[in-house]
Amino acid sequence: MRLTAIEEGHVRNGLPGTIGIAGVFRGRPFEPDEVRSRVRERWGGLERMSRVLLPPARSAALSGHRWAAARSFDPGAYVTTTDQELESLLADAVSHPVPVERPLWRLLVTRPATEADEQAVVLLADHALLDGRSLETLFRLLMDGAEPPAAALPAAAPRPRPPLRPATVGRELRRIGAVGQPLPTASPGEPRPSVAVVALDPQVMRAARRQPAGGRGATLNELLLSTYAGALRACYGPLRSWPRGSTPFLATVPVDLRTRHDAQRLGNGVTALRIPLPVDVDSPVARLQACQDLVAAFPHRLDAHHAILPALQAAARAVPLLAGVMARNLARPEATTSLCTAFKWRDHPSHLHGRPLSRIVPLPQLSPPGTANLCLVHTADAYTLTVVGHARAGDAGIIGDAVARELKALAAYDVPAAPAGQPC
């Protein structure tokens, strides 16, 4: 089975491609066999999880990679235990590809030092096999009492879309090809990968989500984008002090294209919308309002993607080399400096073999030097931010801490009173 153009792009973009999701649980340590049994029960019938990657049959320029089903597939065989601490495990995983000799995923269970310690169950996969929504879907299926995957609903007739003006499509194509600037690095050759997992104060998050005062409130995505913009300003200064001056800093927001008819479909089902972050805007609330305006334009921009993507995907599938060229071009730090995504784990409470889930820890992929990718997850009353950096050593932790400070500043922000004698 041929890979789709998006899958082919992930294979050929020159990056490790590992993404992940971890569930942190409280309670007695897991027995490996009970986790293996649950994985066999819930994932054994999922065809996607048995796929192995085969190289092109002919010239890589003219022939794409293929999927094949693993022989004697036993998903429980891909469950292992580890003594490694979670953040260290994620840092190692994101820098290395999943071995291609087997299906491109694995599940690890950390062993807590004592029965009172938290333990993690970590799903890692190659992005060509699964996207972030797929990881979330798979993890939900492991939980106690989870419903089996629903059969896909009958395909609905395509929703009529208003005709798009060529100018609208052209504007989105220019956004796709726009050139930004990477994160400042200390010197050539020095960038290195780093991972930071930051627990955010839930009271601060609740207060920040109520901003701006009198407004509709902020979504997780809007908060992440705006406070990341503030963190960049705090860490590196205003854009005029960056190596490329006022050239914008572009963030990319993945947007799921699945509908209720195929909500549990595994694979890759997202597109990406690029926006210039308001790094040079002064106040936390003004940055948030700027990001809300940018996000409000997403539905209209998605109409352009629905028009553009079929032609791009058909061309890349016809000429597999083109998929790699497009993917490597979009992976450049000037093009995609930061992937920023956020979601809420809505199934609460969740348990795995009776152990309560306390938080979800995401693992975005590693991008080329000069980049940082961020993912924020809300689980019950826990908010967890993961930063995967590829810039100066330790930049992931510096950025994560700066985002936490920006959230506090946003939560505490009060519109200054107007000077006496001036209108409010």
Side-chain angles (χ1 to χ4, degrees), residues 256-277:
D256 194 10
L257 295 176
R258 296 172 179 87
T259 69
R260 68 184 185 89
H261 296 278
D262 64 346
Q264 292 185 301
R265 174 170 56 86
L266 303 178
N268 283 274
V270 302
T271 190
L273 300 178
R274 303 171 71 214
I275 60 172
L277 287 187

Side-chain angles (χ1 to χ4, degrees), residues 247-412:
T247 302
F249 182 91
L250 299 173
T252 300
V253 182
V255 179
D256 194 10
L257 295 176
R258 296 172 179 87
T259 69
R260 68 184 185 89
H261 296 278
D262 64 346
Q264 292 185 301
R265 174 170 56 86
L266 303 178
N268 283 274
V270 302
T271 190
L273 300 178
R274 303 171 71 214
I275 60 172
L277 287 187
V279 177
D280 282 344
V281 174
D282 289 332
S283 82
V285 166
R287 286 192 290 270
L288 174 58
Q289 290 173 319
C291 289
Q292 288 180 317
D293 290 342
L294 291 166
V295 171
F298 280 6
H300 183 63
R301 291 179 59 185
L302 277 174
D303 288 337
H305 278 242
H306 282 291
I308 295 167
L309 287 175
L312 290 178
Q313 291 170 349
R317 188 169 173 81
V319 184
L321 181 63
L322 180 59
V325 172
M326 293 167 58
R328 287 191 298 273
N329 187 56
L330 290 175
R332 293 176 301 130
E334 311 87 55
T336 302
T337 309
S338 288
L339 288 163
C340 296
T341 188
F343 68 92
K344 180 177 181 178
W345 180 270
R346 300 187 182 279
D347 296 346
H348 178 72
S350 293
H351 296 79
L352 178 58
H353 289 294
R355 286 77 156 183
L357 174 70
S358 58
R359 59 193 170 108
I360 290 288
V361 179
L363 180 65
Q365 68 189 73
L366 180 73
S367 291
T371 62
N373 295 332
L374 293 79
C375 186
L376 171 63
V377 179
H378 177 198
T379 318
D381 203 31
Y383 293 83
T384 305
L385 171 68
T386 304
V387 183
V388 174
H390 201 175
R392 297 178 300 194
D395 260 10
I398 293 170
I399 291 172
D401 290 342
V403 170
R405 289 193 298 272
E406 289 297 316
L407 282 162
K408 290 180 181 177
L410 176 63

Side-chain angles (χ1 to χ4, degrees), residues 67-297:
W67 295 119
R71 296 179 180 177
S72 304
F73 175 63
D74 174 13
Y78 301 96
V79 178
T80 58
T81 59
T82 177
D83 294 320
Q84 198 169 6
E85 182 268 340
L86 177 59
E87 194 164 326
S88 171
L89 188 160
L90 297 178
D92 286 348
V94 80
S95 303
H96 299 92
V98 179
V100 297
E101 297 81 16
R102 60 187 188 185
L104 297 179
W105 64 272
R106 55 186 175 134
L107 193 76
L108 298 99
V109 181
T110 66
R111 286 191 284 253
T114 71
E115 291 205 6
D117 291 341
E118 291 184 323
Q119 57 193 313
V121 176
V122 187
L123 173 60
L124 302 171
D126 190 289
H127 208 327
L129 182 72
L130 302 166
D131 60 11
R133 172 56 69 88
S134 299
L135 296 182
E136 183 186 354
T137 296
L138 287 164
F139 220 78
R140 290 180 191 280
L141 288 176
L142 292 182
M143 298 300 106
D144 296 349
E147 295 292 332
L153 296 173
R159 177 174 62 89
R161 300 183 184 278
L164 287 176
R165 298 178 180 178
T168 301
V169 175
R171 188 160 50 248
E172 191 60 31
L173 286 171
R174 287 193 295 274
R175 289 190 180 107
I176 293 172
V179 175
Q181 63 175 314
L183 293 173
T185 53
S187 62
E190 191 171 336
R192 64 187 64 182
S194 59
V195 173
V197 178
V198 182
L200 301 172
D201 186 324
Q203 290 186 343
V204 167
M205 291 297 298
R206 285 193 290 270
R209 295 190 72 172
R210 291 193 289 268
Q211 295 283 14
R216 60 169 172 79
T219 67
L220 287 178
N221 256 323
E222 292 163 353
L223 279 183
L224 178 60
L225 292 166
S226 67
T227 54
Y228 181 39
L232 292 172
R233 183 184 178 95
C235 291
Y236 305 109
L239 288 177
R240 63 177 177 273
S241 66
W242 292 29
R244 300 188 186 183
S246 59
T247 302
F249 182 91
L250 299 173
T252 300
V253 182
V255 179
D256 194 10
L257 295 176
R258 296 172 179 87
T259 69
R260 68 184 185 89
H261 296 278
D262 64 346
Q264 292 185 301
R265 174 170 56 86
L266 303 178
N268 283 274
V270 302
T271 190
L273 300 178
R274 303 171 71 214
I275 60 172
L277 287 187
V279 177
D280 282 344
V281 174
D282 289 332
S283 82
V285 166
R287 286 192 290 270
L288 174 58
Q289 290 173 319
C291 289
Q292 288 180 317
D293 290 342
L294 291 166
V295 171

